[in-house]
Amino acid sequence: MLMVLVLGAGCGMLRDPEGTLERVRGGTLRAGVVERPPFTQVGQGTPVGVEVLLVEELARSLGAKVEWTVGTEARLMEALTHRKLDLVIGGIPADTPYGARVALSRPYLRARLTVGAPAGEAVPRELKGHPVAVEPGHAAIALLEEAGAVPKPTSQVHAASGLRAGFDWQLEAWGYTAGEFTLKNEEVLVVVAPGENGWLRQVDLFLHESASKTRDRLVQSARGGAR
């Protein structure tokens, strides 16, 4: 993928009609934030989270500062389409319904949602009838029910006994063994303003170079109770 991106540098398609990359370089990167811990978390001050660190590092690599805007996904995507923002983060999946209106980076994370068991124990080949701890409101609840499992919503999934549902990087952090049964595959990416191909390439290159470090940060964030 890196070779494809590099070779594309001389292609006439890699242009920014609005000059986004040149404006951001040495200037301001306008970033929208949708909350989705541990990718992004918002509060009273500056947002925090794994993707917030990623954007801050991207900005530093370009000699830029970051201007944060927190909001709902719908509002931020609308602002992005009108180029009032340069990118939006928030653990956004590749199948986002806004994909036709914005530009999508290449996925920097590929994760598998599954069920895990404590180290030394095996995950049942069939989940039917088995209780599984899961975060309240998580998409895994419906998927577990479809598989015949018995979801047990708990806000302290990292401390629950027995089987737990989570992404592979979460199970790794908890010291759990991931099962073979896949509830869902997810690809996570960053969205940028449409048509700004030079800017998109710059973001893609940075995400590719930072992918391993970013996954390590996600694993670390899931230790000690973080989601």
Side-chain angles (χ1 to χ4, degrees):
M1 183 187 76
L2 181 60
M3 182 61 70
V4 171
L5 292 172
V6 170
L7 291 175
C11 177
M13 292 178 61
L14 297 181
R15 294 177 294 181
D16 289 344
E18 301 297 323
T20 299
L21 179 56
E22 288 309 308
R23 176 179 51 73
V24 170
R25 198 187 303 275
T28 300
L29 194 170
R30 304 169 302 173
V33 183
V34 180
E35 184 168 37
R36 183 190 174 188
F39 296 95
T40 53
Q41 291 177 273
V42 301
Q44 295 294 327
T46 301
V48 297
V50 171
E51 286 189 345
V52 171
L53 286 174
L54 196 59
V55 171
E56 290 174 340
E57 290 168 350
L58 170 61
R60 279 198 296 273
S61 73
L62 296 170
K65 63 180 181 180
V66 184
E67 179 181 281
W68 299 105
T69 299
V70 175
T72 63
E73 187 170 8
R75 185 171 73 85
L76 295 178
M77 292 298 184
E78 183 68 19
L80 195 64
T81 60
H82 290 92
R83 295 184 171 84
K84 294 180 180 179
L85 294 172
D86 302 314
L87 57 75
V88 173
I89 59 173
I92 297 170
D95 60 358
T96 171
Y98 298 95
R101 301 174 55 196
V102 298
L104 307 180
S105 76
R106 295 177 183 271
Y108 72 84
L109 175 72
R110 290 176 172 83
R112 186 168 69 96
L113 181 62
T114 185
V115 173
E121 298 183 21
V123 179
R125 285 187 174 274
E126 295 214 4
L127 298 175
K128 187 174 182 179
H130 288 278
V132 180
V134 61
E135 182 183 336
H138 201 289
I141 293 176
L143 298 172
L144 287 168
E145 290 174 340
E146 288 177 12
V150 182
K152 296 293 184 181
T154 172
S155 58
Q156 301 291 316
V157 177
H158 65 282
S161 60
L163 301 177
R164 302 176 189 169
F167 286 103
D168 48 13
W169 51 268
Q170 291 175 307
L171 297 172
E172 178 183 335
W174 299 334
Y176 263 46
T177 300
E180 298 179 3
F181 189 90
T182 299
L183 296 172
K184 178 185 178 182
N185 287 307
E186 180 175 89
E187 295 182 326
V188 181
L189 44 71
V190 172
V191 297
V192 305
E196 301 299 278
N197 296 316
W199 170 236
L200 175 60
R201 172 184 170 275
Q202 184 71 34
V203 173
D204 266 334
L205 284 170
F206 188 83
L207 292 176
H208 175 78
E209 293 168 355
S210 305
S212 178
K213 177 172 63 176
T214 302
R215 190 184 188 283
D216 288 344
R217 284 174 172 169
L218 281 169
V219 172
Q220 187 61 38
S221 74
R223 293 193 173 117
R227 288 177 289 174

